[in-house]
């Protein structure tokens, strides 16, 4: 049976060799590199199953290694774990936003190391399930076999990312790198006002895309995207999507249809903000959230008051007051940190 191959990129010889020794005792095949430049060369030549990489190194640092590997379709999907002696939040966040799958803070023990590796390898195996789900979702976009072949290639080359709750996927004003598909969990998109207030423009669940308007308009992202809860997303690269849109009219029509629906929802939001009372606006937000949930007779919504306020364009204190009123009226209830909608029909009638 073929051994799992792990590449260790670390300039400190003692750490590199001790890490390699632990991995070999755990029956992994280990490749070693003493700087980032050599690490990239080894990764491109041997395609390891997982990469452990230090951040601060000569020749090429860990961020540069990750950047170059993400540029290569053959290495972009390799699970990548940063090794860092720095515990500052900035370094960790920067690495995760660039696409790293995890990080270990030095010094780490053998149990931490092996657990992190096993966790990432297990998630990589589960990605095959996500691939098939996404393919089912996308198949309706195109109706000819040549288009499906192109789609298969795009799916095979993409990288699936595990995004922690609160982690930013991209910021408003960033250059467009592609569109994103949610495979699990939820993602929110927000715009910031000049005074720092947040307006929530959308919530995206499993099998929904975000980032489409900016790609089609060839403009930077017009809003920020952040994980509302732990989520799994995949990036469909800009060049590949544009090629697909230019080549297959059916694909273009479907994406325009999705874009049109988004615009109609935004127009409805603006009308709500301009003319409706705070009760009607909150009812509208709750109705929209209910439609997104795949639930039974009891509609359970897991969303914070801050996010409800950002969606409805009102203060958090106002949200609390309205939810309390709705609870007194028997429209909803609270169960832990969830809102339980008891009478969706009354909410629907209230917003109309």
């Amino acid at each position: 049976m073929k051994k799992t191959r792990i590449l260790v990129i670390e300039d400190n010889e003692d750490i590199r060799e001790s890490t390699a020794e632990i991995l070999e005792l755990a029956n992994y095949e280990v490749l070693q590199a003493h700087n980032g430049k050599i690490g990239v060369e080894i990764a491109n030549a041997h395609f390891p199953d997982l990469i452990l990489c230090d951040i601060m190194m000569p020749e090429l640092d860990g961020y540069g290694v990750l950047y170059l590997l993400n540029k290569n379709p053959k290495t972009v999907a390799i699970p990548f774990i940063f090794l860092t002696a720095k515990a500052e939040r900035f370094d960790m966040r920067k690495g995760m936003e660039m696409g790293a799958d995890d990080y270990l803070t030095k010094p780490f023990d053998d149990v931490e190391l092996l657990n992190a590796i096993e966790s990432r390898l297990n998630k990589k195996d589960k990605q095959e399930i996500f691939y098939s789900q996404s393919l089912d979702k996308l198949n309706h976009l195109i109706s000819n076999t040549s288009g499906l072949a192109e789609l298969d290639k795009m799916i095979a080359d993409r990288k699936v990312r595990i995004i922690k709750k609160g982690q930013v996927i991209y910021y408003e004003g960033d250059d467009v790198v592609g569109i994103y598909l949610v495979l699990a969990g939820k993602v929110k998109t927000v715009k910031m006002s000049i005074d720092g207030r947040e307006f929530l423009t959308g919530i995206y669940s499993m099998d929904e895309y975000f980032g489409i308007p900016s790609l089609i308009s060839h403009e930077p992202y017009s809003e920020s995207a952040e994980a509302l809860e732990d989520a799994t997303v995949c990036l469909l690269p800009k060049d590949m999507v544009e090629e697909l849109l230019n080549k297959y009219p059916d694909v273009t029509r479907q994406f325009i249809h999705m874009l049109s629906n988004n615009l109609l929802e935004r127009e409805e939001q603006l009308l709500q903000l301009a003319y409706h009372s705070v009760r009607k606006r909150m009812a509208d937000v709750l109705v929209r959230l209910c439609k997104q949930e795949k639930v039974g007779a009891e509609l359970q919504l897991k969303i914070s008051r801050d996010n409800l306020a950002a969606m409805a364009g009102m203060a958090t204190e106002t949200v609390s007051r309205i939810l309390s009123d709705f609870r007194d009226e028997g429209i909803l209830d609270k169960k832990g940190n969830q809102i339980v909608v008891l009478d969706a029909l009354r909410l629907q009638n209230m917003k109309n």
Side-chain angles (χ1 to χ4, degrees), residues 251-309:
V251 182
T252 306
R253 281 194 293 270
Q254 288 293 338
F255 274 103
I256 291 175
H257 178 70
M258 284 188 271
L259 181 59
S260 299
N261 285 339
N262 287 341
L263 290 174
L264 290 173
E265 289 177 3
R266 299 290 174 84
E267 287 180 0
E268 180 65 23
Q269 278 184 286
L270 291 174
L271 288 173
Q272 294 277 348
L273 290 172
Y275 298 113
H276 288 190
S277 68
V278 289
R279 280 176 61 90
K280 279 191 174 185
R281 280 151 56 185
M282 182 52 57
D284 176 71
V285 168
L286 292 173
V287 167
R288 280 191 281 137
L289 290 172
C290 287
K291 289 179 180 179
Q292 288 186 326
E293 295 294 327
K294 298 177 181 178
V295 292
E298 190 179 73
L299 303 173
Q300 297 186 3
L301 307 175
K302 187 175 181 181
I303 185 168
S304 69
R305 281 178 168 79
D306 288 341
N307 282 321
L308 282 174

Side-chain angles (χ1 to χ4, degrees), residues 23 33 50-51 74-75 109 154 191 214 234 242 300 349:
L23 296 177
L50 183 141
I51 296 173
K74 294 182 179 180
T75 57
D109 59 34
M154 183 185 296
K191 288 187 73 70
S214 297
C234 71
E242 289 182 340
Q300 297 186 3
N349 291 337

Side-chain angles (χ1 to χ4, degrees), residues 28 55 64 68 110 141 153 205 213 246 271 286 291 294 304 315 319 328 341 352:
Y28 291 112
I55 290 182
L68 292 176
D110 52 352
L141 293 179
K153 182 178 182 299
S205 304
N246 291 332
L271 288 173
L286 292 173
K291 289 179 180 179
K294 298 177 181 178
S304 69
V319 170
D328 293 341
V341 178
N352 291 334

Side-chain angles (χ1 to χ4, degrees), residues 131-171:
Y131 289 157
S132 61
Q133 288 176 342
S134 300
L135 191 57
D136 290 341
K137 175 68 177 179
L138 288 169
N139 274 346
H140 78 279
L141 293 179
I142 38 186
S143 58
N144 55 63
T145 55
S146 58
L148 285 174
E150 291 294 324
L151 182 59
D152 286 340
K153 182 178 182 299
M154 183 185 296
I155 297 297
D157 287 345
R158 77 169 185 229
K159 177 160 184 174
V160 173
R161 289 178 57 190
I162 310 298
I163 309 295
K164 297 294 184 182
K165 179 180 177 179
Q167 184 179 334
V168 175
I169 300 167
Y170 58 76
Y171 288 98

Side-chain angles (χ1 to χ4, degrees), residues 5-11 15-16 18-20 22-23 28 30-33 35 39 48-55 57 62 65 69 78-84 102-104 108 112-114 116-118 120:
R5 182 180 294 169
I6 297 177
L7 170 60
V8 181
I9 309 173
E10 167 65 67
D11 64 320
I15 296 176
R16 186 178 69 252
S18 63
T19 301
I22 294 170
L23 296 177
Y28 291 112
V30 182
L31 303 172
Q32 299 184 45
N35 65 47
D49 298 291
L50 183 141
I51 296 173
L52 297 169
C53 183
D54 187 24
I55 290 182
M57 294 183 295
V65 171
L69 294 180
I78 297 174
F80 193 98
I81 299 177
F82 269 131
L83 306 178
T84 176
D102 205 346
Y103 59 85
L104 284 170
F108 49 82
E112 289 178 303
L113 174 65
L114 295 175
I117 289 173
E118 289 173 7
R120 289 300 139 190

